[in-house]
Amino acid sequence: MPSENLRWETLQALKNSPKGNITFDPYWSERGEPILSGCKEPLSLSPHSGVILERLCALPLQKASFLGSSSGDSSPGLSEDIFTSLSSTGSIPDLNARRTPSLKTEREQTVSDEARDEDPEEDVSEFSCPASLPSISLLSPKAMETAGQIIRFAAEQQNKAKMALRLRQEMQEKLVAEVAEVASEQLKRFEEFMELKQRQEFQSMRDMLNRETKESIGRQEKLKEEQRHRLKILNLRLREAEQQRLREAEHERLRQSDGRERLRNLNTIQEEILQLNQLLEPSTQTRSDLPPASLSCFSTRGNQLCSQLSEVVRKTAEGEFPSVEDMTMSERALHEMRALIRLMQEEVAKAQEKKEQDEEEQGRKQVELQVQQEVQKKAVETAKEKAKRKGLQNSAEESTLKWFRELQEAAARCQEALQQLNCPKDAQTKKLKLELQKAASIPVSQISSNSGSQLREIFDKIDKLLSGRGLVSGGRTISTSQHPQGLDFVSYKLAEKFVKQGEEEVASHHEAAFPIAMVAAGVWELHPRVGDLILAHLHKKCPYAVPHYPPMKEGTTVEDYQRIIGYRVDDSGVEGQDSFLKRMSGMIRLYAALIQLRWPYGSKQGSAPHGLNHGWRWLAQMLNMEPLADITATLLFDFLEVCGHALMRQYQSQFWKLILLLKEEYFPRIEAVTSSGQMGSVIRLKHFLETSLQSRQIRPPKGQLNSAFWSS
């Protein structure tokens, strides 16, 4: 409200007023003084009171003088007496007071006026004090009327002053009460405001504490949940570590068991070889029966075999177990030693026979001697053929090895011709090399069995690239004609990628062999050089696809020989047997799918570039070679599972004869060279052969592409 806004300004104005500067003595009540005693000053009439008294007293004085002089009464100084008495009491001022300067200062007059305003009763009493006036006797009624009027006026003024003072006191008390009430209300409002503020602060503090408590509880719950999660993960890791430790322990136990078994077999082989080598030592009987050259040849070869075996045994003396390769080499040495003994025995028998014939037929002619020599030669050839029929052949036929070497030499020449692209010297050639490599590798990586249209689209991309036409790759048009070696480079990388897909993709997903082999067969049919490079890469990574068991030549390190026979060897060592068999299986499955497929949209005239006859040749040569532990059973099973149905339909009864030969004569040889820890592949092959021979049927392989696939 406006009055409330002006309240403090009003109080400030009152404080600065003359009345607000009045000093207050708090001890006035103890001294018995009135409340306004300290505010009183000597009373004095205002300078203007003289004029009023002069006007009031002029007429009676004149009349009194007039009466005194005219009547000659005995009271001639009445007026003077009255004036004197009034002057002595201070009620009537000097008539000449207006002309005399006031002795009081201006401030004293102001304080006197304010005092008279505060206590009008005293002023009235000063003006009207009839008791102090001397009793006079008015001789004139007019004078008495005037005196009465003066007295009545003084009384009226006194009553008015009392009434004004009372009203002013009431107003002051009312104002003080109102101010006190307003101050009390303001104090109450202020106290309520402070209490409200305290309650709000207390409520906000309590809300903040509750919020912090909830947040703290939430953080504690979150920490507990994280702790439980970490404990769960830790327990899982501990269990996994324990399971891993158990697996490693079991693996180590099996490895130790297999190693000890191989060590026992190695010791047995060494003992047998040493015993057989003693038979090759020259004696009196053999020296007389055999010529020194033949005897020296047998003895030298026997010593070489013993030395090879001693190298293997020397590694076992250092605390290592013989590996599968060592056992394979040892078994080969044993077979060769046995072959040497048989040959020596045959030579001894032949020598004895010849000696007996010489003693009995000393008189025969030279012609009979020549005939005998011819018979001797035929007997040697017959023995060799017999040894071959018994499966003692350790390498492929000479024609097959010649074909294998020609493919490897062609691939090596192609790689040497790509020296400029393989080692680019400028940035542009390097960029072109990367783009050509991507254009050749990416389509092969995208081959899948989703739909025939997608497979045909991939084949068209590869065919366009090999035909020298432009192919859009990575937003740019790539062509083999951009570099003189571009076509050779793409052909080499494409063949390498096909074999790598068999090594990795087919090894993990057997059904992937058919779509990859289908595209490879189509490319082979239109671009025969790519097919030769595919065979070269396949034979290099998997020599068993020839089939060929590369011998270990003198001066060749163990690591190099392991690379030659297909193992991966790097800084961390030689890959495990399981990984090796898995890769070999993938590549043999790709080869088995490749020889039975032909691109459905190509030319049907003429024979396939690499048909089933090569599959029949591979299977026949595998059965003419001495089996190897683990690898032979694995490859035969994978090949027959993928290609057996096609060979059965092509060769019919001849195929079943070959399968029967495999079951009855070749399979026991596989079991003989297989240890107890390598029986998985042997069991699978045995089950496959028994099931096939029993039902006289081989089921089509899984993943084969039918007509519905090409219509999708």
Side-chain angles (χ1 to χ4, degrees), residues 174-234:
K174 186 176 180 181
L175 181 62
V176 170
E178 290 178 355
V179 171
E181 184 178 1
V182 171
S184 176
E185 289 296 328
Q186 290 180 350
L187 181 61
K188 288 180 181 180
R189 299 292 84 77
F190 179 74
E191 290 177 352
E192 291 174 357
F193 176 73
M194 294 303 294
E195 184 179 358
L196 176 61
K197 191 173 182 181
Q198 289 178 355
R199 286 199 308 272
Q200 290 177 348
E201 292 178 354
F202 177 74
Q203 184 65 29
S204 62
M205 184 68 68
R206 185 169 59 188
D207 294 342
M208 183 177 66
L209 291 176
N210 292 336
R211 186 168 56 255
E212 291 179 353
T213 303
K214 290 180 181 178
E215 292 177 356
S216 177
I217 293 173
R219 286 194 296 270
Q220 290 179 358
E221 291 296 330
K222 186 176 181 180
L223 291 174
K224 289 180 181 178
E225 184 64 26
E226 291 178 355
Q227 183 68 16
R228 286 194 295 269
H229 182 64
R230 284 196 293 270
L231 288 175
K232 185 177 179 180
I233 293 176
L234 183 60

Side-chain angles (χ1 to χ4, degrees), residues 294-314:
S294 299
L295 190 61
S296 176
C297 180
F298 288 133
S299 179
T300 302
R301 184 54 185 164
N303 291 332
Q304 289 178 354
L305 294 176
C306 291
S307 300
Q308 292 179 3
L309 192 62
S310 297
E311 292 293 331
V312 177
V313 174
R314 189 177 295 110

Side-chain angles (χ1 to χ4, degrees), residues 499-690:
V499 177
K500 190 174 183 181
Q501 284 294 97
E503 185 181 9
E504 297 176 355
E505 183 67 21
V506 180
S508 301
H509 306 90
H510 293 167
E511 294 81 2
F514 286 94
I516 296 174
M518 181 64 76
V519 177
V523 173
W524 196 336
E525 184 176 350
L526 295 179
H527 308 278
R529 189 180 183 189
V530 178
D532 294 339
L533 291 173
I534 289 175
L535 281 179
H537 283 292
L538 182 64
H539 292 167
K540 185 176 181 179
K541 288 192 173 183
C542 179
Y544 311 102
V546 177
H548 175 47
Y549 301 156
M552 186 175 182
K553 299 179 181 179
E554 294 183 3
T556 304
T557 62
V558 177
E559 289 78 7
D560 292 339
Y561 181 70
Q562 287 172 337
R563 290 190 183 95
I564 291 173
I565 62 178
Y567 284 87
R568 281 179 176 173
V569 183
D570 51 18
D571 296 337
S572 60
V574 186
E575 69 173 331
Q577 185 69 9
D578 294 340
S579 175
F580 168 72
L581 292 175
K582 184 178 180 181
R583 291 192 303 106
M584 297 300 111
S585 173
M587 287 185 280
I588 285 295
R589 284 179 175 271
L590 178 63
Y591 180 68
L594 181 62
I595 61 178
Q596 61 178 307
L597 294 178
R598 194 166 186 182
W599 183 247
Y601 301 103
S603 175
K604 297 297 182 181
Q605 298 178 358
S607 60
H610 200 76
L612 281 173
N613 57 324
H614 291 274
W616 180 266
R617 177 196 58 80
W618 183 89
L619 185 58
Q621 289 198 11
M622 281 291 290
L623 298 182
N624 285 330
M625 298 175 66
E626 192 69 30
L628 300 180
D630 216 2
I631 184 67
T632 301
T634 301
L635 297 182
L636 284 174
F637 172 74
D638 292 326
F639 184 84
L640 289 174
E641 189 178 39
V642 176
C643 193
H645 180 75
L647 290 173
M648 178 192 69
R649 295 179 58 186
Q650 179 75 16
Y651 295 100
Q652 298 179 358
S653 61
Q654 296 298 323
F655 173 76
W656 289 114
K657 289 180 182 180
L658 198 63
I659 294 297
L660 187 61
L661 175 66
L662 170 60
K663 174 66 174 61
E664 294 182 352
E665 296 186 13
Y666 195 74
F667 189 77
R669 291 182 176 274
I670 295 176
E671 290 181 322
V673 299
T674 304
S675 62
S676 58
Q678 302 169 344
M679 294 300 293
S681 57
V682 176
I683 293 173
R684 287 193 296 271
L685 178 61
K686 183 178 180 180
H687 178 71
F688 176 83
L689 294 175
E690 290 176 350

Side-chain angles (χ1 to χ4, degrees), residues 225-440:
E225 184 64 26
E226 291 178 355
Q227 183 68 16
R228 286 194 295 269
H229 182 64
R230 284 196 293 270
L231 288 175
K232 185 177 179 180
I233 293 176
L234 183 60
N235 292 332
L236 289 175
R237 289 180 178 175
L238 289 175
R239 284 197 295 270
E240 290 177 358
E242 182 65 20
Q243 292 175 359
Q244 181 67 21
R245 187 187 65 79
L246 293 176
R247 285 194 298 270
E248 290 178 355
E250 181 66 18
H251 179 71
E252 181 65 20
R253 186 184 66 79
L254 292 175
R255 191 185 69 82
Q256 295 284 342
S257 177
D258 294 342
R260 285 190 291 270
E261 183 66 24
R262 287 195 295 270
L263 183 59
R264 285 193 294 270
N265 295 336
L266 181 62
N267 294 333
T268 303
I269 292 172
Q270 185 184 20
E271 182 181 2
E272 185 176 355
I273 286 180
L274 291 175
Q275 291 175 357
L276 294 175
N277 188 46
Q278 291 178 359
L279 298 176
L280 296 176
E281 293 295 330
S283 61
T284 305
Q285 182 180 1
T286 57
R287 189 177 296 113
S288 61
D289 295 337
L290 290 177
S294 299
L295 190 61
S296 176
C297 180
F298 288 133
S299 179
T300 302
R301 184 54 185 164
N303 291 332
Q304 289 178 354
L305 294 176
C306 291
S307 300
Q308 292 179 3
L309 192 62
S310 297
E311 292 293 331
V312 177
V313 174
R314 189 177 295 110
K315 290 195 300 184
T316 61
E318 298 175 357
E320 298 181 2
F321 290 114
S323 62
V324 178
E325 294 78 13
D326 296 336
M327 293 303 300
T328 303
M329 187 177 62
S330 302
E331 290 169 356
R332 289 178 182 174
L334 178 60
H335 291 315
E336 189 173 354
M337 182 65 77
R338 289 173 180 172
L340 287 175
I341 295 297
R342 283 193 293 271
L343 289 175
M344 187 190 70
Q345 290 175 353
E346 291 176 359
E347 290 290 339
V348 170
K350 292 174 184 177
Q352 290 178 353
E353 184 179 357
K354 182 179 179 182
K355 185 177 181 181
E356 291 175 357
Q357 289 177 358
D358 289 340
E359 291 177 355
E360 293 176 356
E361 299 179 359
Q362 291 180 359
R364 289 185 179 182
K365 297 180 180 180
Q366 189 65 27
V367 178
E368 293 178 358
L369 184 59
Q370 292 178 356
V371 172
Q372 184 66 28
Q373 290 176 355
E374 291 293 334
V375 172
Q376 238 177 1
K377 290 180 181 179
K378 289 181 180 181
V380 173
E381 293 176 0
T382 303
K384 291 182 179 180
E385 291 178 0
K386 184 179 179 181
K388 288 183 179 181
R389 284 195 300 270
K390 290 182 179 180
L392 298 177
Q393 185 178 354
N394 290 325
S395 61
E397 295 180 355
E398 187 62 31
S399 60
T400 304
L401 292 177
K402 182 180 179 181
W403 173 60
F404 165 71
R405 286 191 289 268
E406 288 176 354
L407 289 175
Q408 296 302 316
E409 290 173 0
R413 287 194 300 270
C414 181
Q415 188 176 10
E416 290 176 0
L418 300 177
Q419 188 67 24
Q420 186 178 355
L421 262 179
N422 286 329
C423 301
K425 296 182 180 180
D426 56 330
Q428 185 176 0
T429 306
K430 185 176 181 180
K431 185 177 180 181
L432 178 62
K433 172 198 170 184
L434 294 176
E435 291 175 348
L436 289 174
Q437 187 170 351
K438 288 181 181 179

